Amino acid sequence: MKTDKQIKQDVEREFEWDPAINAAGVGVEVRDHIVTLAGHLGSYTEKLAAEKAAQRVEGVSGVVVELDVRIPGGEKRIDEDIAASAHSLLGWTAGFAENQVKVRVEKGCVTLSGEVEWAYQRHTAENLVSHLRGVVVVVNQIAVRSRATPSGVETKIAEALKRHAEHEANNIAVTINNDTVTLRGHISSFAEKDITRSAAWSAPGVRNVVDETRVGS
């Protein structure tokens, strides 16, 4: 098993290797295999990339992100421009109905609200807007329309897990309470953790996913 020192070195090397990240802007501390990232980066996209890069490193069991986004003066955009871009992107790329997802921007902080049919649409909207230039942070307040959770949804999620992460499926317990899915168990990596969450979010009738899975043995 890696020591905290080895994990720190590997995370720092991963940042240096990833061209999407300014490694000089990120400080890395590791304690009990939990990585804490601190510092300042030039975009929200870069902040997300740093979190993903740390999660990719073997031996990391958790990531705490304390990074600030400080957009260089030449790349700053006024809030009206960000809002207009977000509105167009959601309409043309994601195919949301007119004003289905509302966008509010204040000092680069984008707040999304409204109501959608499926949980995956909520995550799609956040992911699209997160990559716009000038965005500092995204607050997702989009609600998922209530619908009856069909019978057998636990089986459907389990089948989806086997299709996408068969090795992990045997270690994960899935429980349903009304429209909330809870995932428990151990999982080998953050990549598989993302796949597991996506499978749960994609199930019909699901409005909330509580992920209590842990990375590692």
Side-chain angles (χ1 to χ4, degrees):
M1 180 179 292
K2 290 182 180 179
T3 65
D4 286 347
K5 182 178 180 180
Q6 289 172 322
I7 291 175
K8 174 180 167 66
Q9 291 173 340
D10 286 349
V11 171
E12 290 172 339
R13 290 185 183 123
E14 187 71 11
F15 287 161
E16 292 171 356
W17 177 83
D18 193 329
I21 303 168
N22 174 20
V26 186
V28 180
E29 295 296 333
V30 183
R31 182 175 181 180
D32 296 331
H33 293 194
I34 303 294
V35 176
T36 298
L37 307 178
H40 311 291
L41 293 174
S43 71
Y44 188 58
T45 301
E46 191 175 3
K47 179 179 177 179
L48 296 177
E51 180 178 2
K52 290 290 186 183
Q55 292 175 344
R56 288 196 299 266
V57 173
E58 184 181 359
V60 173
S61 59
V63 179
V64 178
V65 182
E66 298 179 350
L67 294 165
D68 293 329
V69 176
R70 295 184 179 179
I71 298 173
E75 297 183 13
K76 286 186 177 179
R77 302 175 66 195
I78 62 173
D79 290 342
E80 289 80 359
D81 287 346
I82 297 173
S85 296
H87 182 76
S88 297
L89 189 64
L90 292 169
W92 286 99
T93 306
F96 293 109
E98 183 71 17
N99 295 322
Q100 183 179 9
V101 176
K102 298 175 176 61
V103 180
R104 179 169 61 86
V105 185
E106 182 177 356
K107 295 181 179 179
C109 175
V110 178
T111 301
L112 303 177
S113 60
E115 189 177 68
V116 295
E117 293 284 343
W118 295 88
Y120 81 85
Q121 293 175 308
R122 182 177 187 271
H123 293 280
T124 297
E126 179 177 346
N127 184 58
L128 286 170
V129 172
S130 295
H131 293 83
L132 286 174
R133 185 165 57 87
V135 171
V136 173
V137 69
V138 178
V139 179
N140 194 342
Q141 296 179 349
I142 299 172
V144 180
R145 188 165 298 152
S146 180
R147 61 168 73 189
T149 305
S151 60
V153 70
E154 291 179 58
T155 301
K156 292 178 181 178
I157 293 174
E159 289 173 349
L161 290 178
K162 288 181 180 178
R163 288 195 300 271
H164 300 294
E166 184 173 0
H167 176 71
E168 309 296 346
N170 296 327
N171 300 320
I172 299 170
V174 180
T175 57
I176 307 288
N177 183 12
N178 295 324
D179 52 11
T180 297
V181 175
T182 300
L183 305 171
R184 296 185 178 92
H186 295 278
I187 205 160
S188 62
S189 69
F190 281 96
E192 300 295 343
K193 192 176 178 72
D194 286 342
I195 290 172
T196 301
R197 279 199 301 259
S198 295
W201 277 117
S202 299
V206 172
R207 297 185 68 197
N208 300 290
V209 174
V210 179
D211 186 1
E212 297 180 356
T213 59
R214 299 182 60 185
V215 176
S217 57

